Amino acid sequence: MLNIVLFGPPGAGKGTQAAKLISKYQLVHLSTGDIFRANIKGETDLGKLAKSYMDKGNLVPDEVTIKMLEAEVNKNPNAKGFIFDGFPRTTPQAEALEEFLKSKGTTISVMLALAVAEEELIKRLLLRGKESGRADDADVEVIANRIAVYNKQTAVVENFYAQQNKFQKIDGIGSVDEIFNRLSNVIDKYSVNRIS
Ligand code: AMP
């Protein structure tokens, strides 16, 4: 299997690139943010719980997020691989994912981390807020908190994959196609060498 963690701060371009990568590599795209938003729209209990955290730009608790992610993986038993977008966002999530994939005889192939400077992130998020109507993209304070949460709780997840020689930083500035080519080049290198 080819299992990719697409990583980076809010506004780095993960969703845009994931959409292109799944079509090129025939992978299943699992975005925890998208799944939470679908639950909010469907007014499920999970959606109500998630909304109370998302509206402030805080993380939904690990236990809830991990359980949901595992259920989504289990819905795709014939997948050739997955792109995890917005997950894992904490070290406990990374550890849980590792154990879970191990129980299925597979692992993460590579973490691709999109690097974008903070001023650019804020610009992109505010623009997306206007275009998409996403509440957490429209409020400067919520955006600032999401970036602070990323720096405090999420950025360290890089170390988890760096220790396994699976961490690859990609310049996230440029055209969508330029960035896509950078990502594809690294994936091709890893997919040649992969063992499971
Ligand atoms: P995203 O669409 O990835 O920007 O996520 C939007 C919001 O969903 C985040 O600000 C969090 O509140 C929540 N969320 C998404 N993924 C996770 C995760 N892996 N762990 C905790 N909260 C998450």
Side-chain angles (χ1 to χ4, degrees), residues 121-130 137-140 143:
L121 296 175
I122 296 170
K123 254 199 293 184
R124 288 188 191 178
L125 289 168
L126 285 170
L127 186 71
R128 189 170 76 184
K130 281 191 197 137
D137 284 343
D139 184 312
V140 189
I143 290 176

Side-chain angles (χ1 to χ4, degrees), residues 121-168:
L121 296 175
I122 296 170
K123 254 199 293 184
R124 288 188 191 178
L125 289 168
L126 285 170
L127 186 71
R128 189 170 76 184
K130 281 191 197 137
E131 287 167 355
S132 73
R134 251 181 78 169
D136 60 346
D137 284 343
D139 184 312
V140 189
E141 272 178 31
V142 174
I143 290 176
N145 188 44
R146 284 160 66 203
I147 294 173
V149 165
Y150 175 83
N151 289 331
K152 201 169 159 205
Q153 294 178 261
T154 304
V156 291
V157 178
E158 289 182 0
N159 300 337
F160 183 88
Y161 294 98
Q163 279 159 14
Q164 302 180 17
N165 290 320
K166 291 177 178 175
F167 171 68
Q168 292 285 333

Side-chain angles (χ1 to χ4, degrees), residues 43-54:
E43 298 180 354
T44 67
D45 287 344
L46 175 62
K48 281 175 205 149
L49 177 84
K51 190 175 180 333
S52 65
Y53 294 92
M54 290 167 77

Side-chain angles (χ1 to χ4, degrees), residues 10-11 14 31-34 36-37 50 53-55 57-62 65 85-90 93 128 134 136-137 146:
K14 300 185 294 290
S31 155
T32 39
D34 284 352
F36 284 135
R37 280 184 287 276
Y53 294 92
M54 290 167 77
D55 280 352
N58 292 325
L59 296 183
V60 179
D62 281 341
T65 307
D85 162 5
F87 184 95
R89 256 175 158 102
T90 63
Q93 289 182 15
R128 189 170 76 184
R134 251 181 78 169
D136 60 346
D137 284 343
R146 284 160 66 203

Side-chain angles (χ1 to χ4, degrees), residues 17-35:
Q17 294 297 333
K20 289 173 72 73
L21 291 169
I22 51 163
S23 115
K24 175 163 181 180
Y25 294 97
Q26 305 291 300
L27 304 171
V28 173
H29 179 201
L30 291 185
S31 155
T32 39
D34 284 352
I35 303 165

